[in-house]
Amino acid sequence: MSILFDEENRLFYIHTAGTSYCMQISAAGYLCHAYWGARIRELHPSDAIEKRMRALSPNTDPNDLDFSLDTAPLEYPAYGSSDFRTPAFEVQFADGSTVCCPKVKSHRMIKGKPPLAGLPATYCEDESEAETLEITLEDTVGGLEITLCYTAFPGYDAIVRSARLKNTGKNEIRIMRALSMSADIRCGGFELLQLSGAWARERQIVRRPLVPGMQSVESRRGASSAQQNPFLALLSPHSGEEHGEVYGVSLVYSGSFLAGAEVDQFDRVRVFIGVNPFDFSWLLQPGENFQCPETVLVYSGAGLGKMSRTFHRFYRERLCRGAYRDRERPVVLNNWEATHFSFDAHTIETLAAAAGELGAELFVLDDGWFGERNDESSSLGDWFVNRRKLPDGLNKLAAQVNASGTAFGLWVEPEMVSRDSALYRAHPDWCLHVEGRDRTESRRQLVLDLCRSEVRGEIERMLTELLQSANIRYVKWDMNRNITEAGSTALAPECQREVSHRYMLGLYELLDRLTRKFPQVLFEGCAAGGGRFDPGILCYMPQIWTSDNTDAAERLKIQYGTSIVYPPCAMTAHVSEVPNQQTNRSVPLETRAYAAMMANFGLELDPLRLSGEEREAVKRMVADCKSIRRLVQFGDLFRLKSPFEGNDAAFLYASPDRLEAVAAYFRLLATANAPEVFLRFAGLNPDARYEETVNGGAYYGDELLHSGLPVRLYGGDFQCRFWHFRAAR
Ligand code: DGJ
């Protein structure tokens, strides 16, 4: 049993293999947070919640001056009574009041994990994998019920949490804020880690000490965004990759979010995450429910690396789904950086033939194949082939590409519309907008109103027709702008603040329908690169274009940061030409290739512009990638050196039985007369004897772990070294 209720002491225990999460119902019926951390047998019941009278802290019960909502560790804190910290939710009742005091009404335990209505979610394949606890809180005066759901995945060491609000009264309730989780945990003095950045510089690691008061990250862009990621971690001071305590909180959502940590007056940390309350409200009619997205909680007592590996396995196996979930991902050649918008059928066929010769398994035709699309200014929404460029249509082209030995894939950007398009001319009101106001363009495009079912229906119809029109085995689903003028003609004036969230619900419905309809198609998420790299998208598309920045030196940082939460098989990484189109930097081909091999390898160059020697080298690298990709995509990642901390980066991927591993070391800038570098490995079996097959040699695991190997690089900037270890089975 991973979930227990100690009735006498009113204590809930949720256990996974290495974690316990405990709550206690206070004497007055409030749900209090009692513990989250390394697995324990039990909590001493009288010590679980502090009982002590504190100056200036109000008391809800005049007969119990030792209890105050101001100081109690709470589990889903309300707004309006005597807790002055950040609330998890806030509602306004029909009388205008915002005071709400929910107390525990009931609880039940369920085998397995129920699905989450309309939202992406983790799942179990068999009921025995998970257990769910539902605790219902009730505010009797206002007629509001809140059901908190906790699912323990003991074998994955993860706990999944969400909240559902129900209007049980006779009048409507306006939800002003409904976060997915909140917990008051004991980790004062810890540090906060966030993944922040910008377009082409996504998910950079930022770590800072927690200080009293509020620290938070958020997106207000209608997408999880390149600027912030719906994740945060709290780390014990000096913790590193393999040591120290880490609490990771990740939101399964792709829209605007808020994540934060508020350090209170007694050094408790209120950690929370959910849909961003900024420009959000939701009218809940009597009898209706509002379901918050779910959050995945991972505790590690052995550093950030263990937290990441826990997220990786869980997201890989119990969030991603479909035919490609467990399959090695094909080597792609994408034509975007080779041609941009200017190509014709001959160019594409020649590129595809060259891609096949290099060993690529999938050729992807990127932007520019449809409508009158010759630059960014037109045709989004017109998902029919441009006959001037591709006179024989997609079916013939796909057949031609297939004949050269590669599968055929296609780029689309279905959530968008260009003003200059047949779709916009026919339906100018189908984009998000506010009547009488300018429609702000970004990349010359507008956002379709996915709150409207007829808009979703038409997108589904067009894409269905498209995907049935040719042998298309892959779709790159792009999204190149954020939401502005978030207004929908489908919604009443009092519901306009629901638009951003309803947009996401509409998107999820569309993705769900299309991915079910085309189970054999590999869908790859993209949002001007990594502008929507989040668990919500991964639920429908098992891989995401990590960044538009293909410069290997900068990619190392982006991939390193992304790997804090997301598994390598989710990150696509392509070798592109030099000088690099984003940075103008020239990194040697071998280093570009190994950097791409650290994730889901592909090519984004014109093979015809390679010299004969380079072509042979790329062929070898494609073959090398195929020989190690199972290990990289589905093995355990150990980050050995952080590019955020120095002039180098190193990664190791080990098989679950630790009998095989590959590792790569990357040095950025060369230094004259540099000190010797020794690289210590991790994740190996100290007692195993490994053959190293790239450079030659045999080593015991203990030497590799504790002494390490020298890395001698003489060739200038951006050099790398690669090892492949194998021990006898
Ligand atoms: C942005 C993507 O990230 C690129 O890879 C490419 O597909 C362009 N859009 C095409 O417009």
Side-chain angles (χ1 to χ4, degrees):
M1 290 283 275
S2 45
I3 298 183
L4 301 164
F5 182 55
D6 167 358
E7 207 144 350
E8 192 187 333
N9 298 300
R10 310 219 286 176
L11 260 166
F12 294 102
Y13 291 92
I14 302 171
H15 298 297
T16 67
T19 307
S20 296
Y21 189 103
C22 313
M23 293 162 279
Q24 190 174 36
I25 306 171
S26 78
Y30 295 104
L31 187 63
C32 294
H33 180 83
Y35 174 79
W36 176 22
R39 186 170 172 139
I40 53 174
R41 287 180 182 80
E42 56 182 21
L43 271 186
H44 202 268
S46 57
D47 295 335
I49 312 170
E50 183 190 84
K51 291 185 189 65
R52 176 169 171 184
M53 196 175 91
R54 299 272 196 180
L56 295 180
S57 291
N59 309 107
T60 39
D61 177 355
N63 299 315
D64 184 2
L65 301 187
D66 287 342
F67 183 85
S68 171
L69 291 175
D70 185 28
T71 57
L74 299 170
E75 190 58 18
Y76 197 69
Y79 175 81
S81 178
S82 38
D83 177 13
F84 301 107
R85 294 163 290 178
T86 303
F89 76 99
E90 181 184 350
V91 294
Q92 186 169 36
F93 297 106
D95 63 1
S97 70
T98 51
V99 177
C100 189
C101 294
K103 295 187 180 174
V104 175
K105 177 187 172 194
S106 61
H107 74 269
R108 65 176 185 136
M109 292 167 198
I110 312 164
K111 278 204 164 58
K113 179 176 188 282
L116 221 58
L119 283 163
T122 55
Y123 58 91
C124 51
E125 284 199 326
D126 185 290
E127 275 193 349
S128 63
E129 281 178 5
E131 239 181 288
T132 299
L133 165 67
E134 287 190 352
I135 305 177
T136 299
L137 318 177
E138 165 180 58
D139 179 79
T140 43
V141 178
L144 179 71
E145 267 184 19
I146 299 164
T147 300
L148 302 179
C149 287
Y150 300 82
T151 301
F153 282 86
Y156 286 93
D157 227 352
I159 295 171
V160 180
R161 243 191 100 166
S162 65
R164 190 170 66 241
L165 278 61
K166 181 173 186 188
N167 183 344
T168 54
K170 293 198 167 53
N171 302 307
E172 65 184 24
I173 296 175
R174 182 179 288 277
I175 303 173
M176 323 282 281
R177 175 189 189 95
L179 300 181
S180 294
M181 72 80 65
S182 175
D184 293 339
I185 60 181
R186 266 179 258 142
C187 58
F190 272 45
E191 292 168 6
L192 170 70
L193 185 148
Q194 65 196 59
L195 300 173
S196 306
W199 173 79
R201 201 163 24 81
E202 296 88 348
R203 292 169 296 287
Q204 309 285 297
I205 295 179
V206 178
R207 195 167 160 169
R208 49 175 162 147
L210 286 177
V211 294
M214 174 71 84
Q215 31 259 291
S216 63
V217 291
E218 65 182 311
S219 164
R220 298 176 174 183
R221 294 177 168 262
S224 51
S225 88
Q227 288 72 12
Q228 304 291 353
N229 197 258
F231 164 81
L232 61 77
L234 302 179
L235 302 91
S236 58
H238 314 298
S239 57
E241 277 298 305
E242 306 301 328
H243 66 276
E245 283 194 292
V246 185
Y247 296 85
V249 177
S250 164
L251 183 69
V252 186
Y253 190 59
S254 315
S256 299
F257 72 92
L258 171 69
E262 184 182 6
V263 181
D264 74 12
Q265 52 186 332
F266 302 114
D267 258 2
R268 273 217 182 237
V269 181
R270 174 162 294 177
V271 55
F272 54 85
I273 198 163
V275 171
N276 201 336
F278 173 82
D279 200 22
F280 165 87
S281 80
W282 193 276
L283 265 192
L284 204 58
Q285 300 300 335
E288 280 182 353
N289 284 296
F290 178 82
Q291 176 64 58
C292 302
E294 72 180 26
T295 320
V296 179
L297 310 181
V298 170
Y299 167 81
S300 157
L304 204 50
K306 179 163 181 243
M307 181 209 73
S308 298
R309 288 186 290 279
T310 304
F311 273 118
H312 292 177
R313 193 164 81 89
F314 189 48
Y315 280 172
R316 221 167 47 209
E317 297 178 4
R318 293 296 176 266
L319 173 68
C320 293
R321 57 199 76 209
Y324 277 89
R325 187 188 76 176
D326 305 324
R327 240 197 254 171
E328 287 178 23
R329 306 297 163 74
V331 174
V332 163
L333 187 139
N334 180 304
N335 74 309
W336 177 243
E337 288 200 12
T339 65
H340 290 269
F341 295 101
S342 40
F343 55 81
D344 58 17
H346 177 69
T347 328
I348 296 305
E349 285 164 14
T350 318
L351 276 177
E357 277 166 28
L358 292 177
E361 296 150 307
L362 175 66
F363 176 83
V364 178
L365 176 55
D366 209 282
D367 197 352
W369 59 266
F370 53 94
E372 296 296 323
R373 182 93 161 163
N374 296 312
D375 56 33
E376 295 173 355
S377 66
S378 83
S379 304
L380 294 174
D382 297 346
W383 301 113
F384 41 83
V385 73
N386 179 330
R387 294 268 169 189
R388 257 195 289 273
K389 285 184 182 175
L390 307 172
D392 296 330
L394 284 178
N395 192 23
K396 278 260 172 60
L397 183 71
Q400 198 67 36
V401 169
N402 293 161
S404 63
T406 61
F408 179 69
L410 202 60
W411 177 97
V412 288
E413 193 176 359
E415 299 162 62
M416 300 291 155
V417 65
S418 307
R419 260 187 225 264
D420 181 5
S421 67
L423 184 71
Y424 189 77
R425 281 185 283 277
H427 301 285
D429 62 329
W430 273 17
C431 62
L432 291 174
H433 68 282
V434 173
E435 267 322 299
R437 296 203 177 268
D438 287 345
R439 301 171 181 195
T440 304
E441 292 183 11
S442 181
R443 210 197 191 211
R444 312 276 314 262
Q445 63 201 50
L446 300 164
V447 183
L448 285 170
D449 182 357
L450 299 193
C451 305
R452 293 174 66 163
S453 61
E454 69 275 34
V455 176
R456 298 196 298 273
E458 179 58 11
I459 298 175
E460 187 184 338
R461 191 197 62 72
M462 284 191 288
L463 290 191
T464 301
E465 201 169 284
L466 176 66
L467 294 180
Q468 285 169 345
S469 72
N471 186 16
I472 298 168
R473 289 308 175 106
Y474 160 107
V475 164
K476 179 176 175 188
W477 183 294
D478 207 345
M479 193 283 294
N480 283 293
R481 65 158 290 177
N482 292 137
I483 292 178
T484 57
E485 292 92 32
S488 171
T489 50
L491 298 174
E494 61 277 19
C495 295
Q496 290 295 320
R497 286 189 150 201
E498 298 177 11
V499 169
S500 292
H501 184 59
R502 283 195 187 274
Y503 179 91
M504 293 318 307
L505 296 179
L507 173 64
Y508 290 143
E509 183 198 283
L510 192 57
L511 288 175
D512 190 49
R513 294 171 80 93
L514 284 165
T515 50
R516 279 178 202 279
K517 217 182 232 180
F518 296 97
Q520 78 288 3
V521 172
L522 170 59
F523 283 82
E524 174 165 330
C526 176
R532 214 166 48 182
F533 204 120
D534 59 64
I537 293 296
L538 276 184
C539 180
Y540 306 98
M541 314 201 221
Q543 58 187 51
I544 301 177
W545 181 226
T546 315
S547 175
D548 272 349
N549 187 343
T550 56
D551 170 62
E554 301 217 322
R555 260 306 184 108
L556 289 173
K557 276 190 164 179
I558 296 169
Q559 290 170 197
Y560 189 102
T562 306
S563 80
I564 295 293
V565 190
Y566 306 101
C569 67
M571 290 185 238
T572 47
H574 295 176
V575 178
S576 61
E577 65 183 24
V578 287
N580 181 267
Q581 293 185 8
Q582 292 79 33
T583 60
N584 209 26
R585 181 182 285 129
S586 291
V587 170
L589 181 57
E590 190 188 30
T591 303
R592 280 181 273 150
Y594 279 116
M597 274 186 230
M598 298 296 98
N600 195 337
F601 178 96
L603 302 167
E604 186 116 2
L605 41 70
D606 183 345
L608 306 174
R609 292 207 287 259
L610 296 173
S611 69
E613 200 182 315
E614 285 172 329
R615 211 167 302 154
E616 286 313 305
V618 172
K619 243 190 229 175
R620 269 198 316 277
M621 285 157 192
V622 170
D624 285 351
C625 145
K626 289 178 185 169
S627 71
I628 64 163
R629 66 182 160 189
R630 174 142 290 277
L631 211 48
V632 170
Q633 293 171 5
F634 301 98
D636 290 334
L637 169 64
F638 291 82
R639 290 179 296 257
L640 306 176
K641 289 237 168 217
S642 167
F644 293 97
E645 289 167 13
N647 188 32
D648 47 13
F651 306 84
L652 180 141
Y653 302 79
S655 59
D657 62 9
R658 302 294 186 259
L659 292 179
E660 191 180 357
V662 289
Y665 173 91
F666 301 86
R667 186 194 55 204
L668 301 178
L669 299 183
T671 312
N673 199 21
E676 188 163 45
V677 173
F678 254 77
L679 181 65
R680 286 193 195 169
F681 299 89
L684 300 172
N685 176 352
D687 301 321
R689 179 94 176 145
Y690 293 96
E691 295 288 331
E692 199 288 304
T693 54
V694 179
N695 310 280
Y699 310 87
Y700 277 108
D702 54 8
E703 179 185 356
L704 297 168
L705 292 168
H706 304 301
S707 175
L709 292 180
V711 189
R712 298 194 178 108
L713 295 170
Y714 303 109
D717 294 341
F718 313 117
Q719 298 292 307
C720 71
R721 180 70 80 240
F722 184 71
W723 299 267
H724 196 155
F725 300 106
R726 280 198 185 91
R729 300 212 173 242

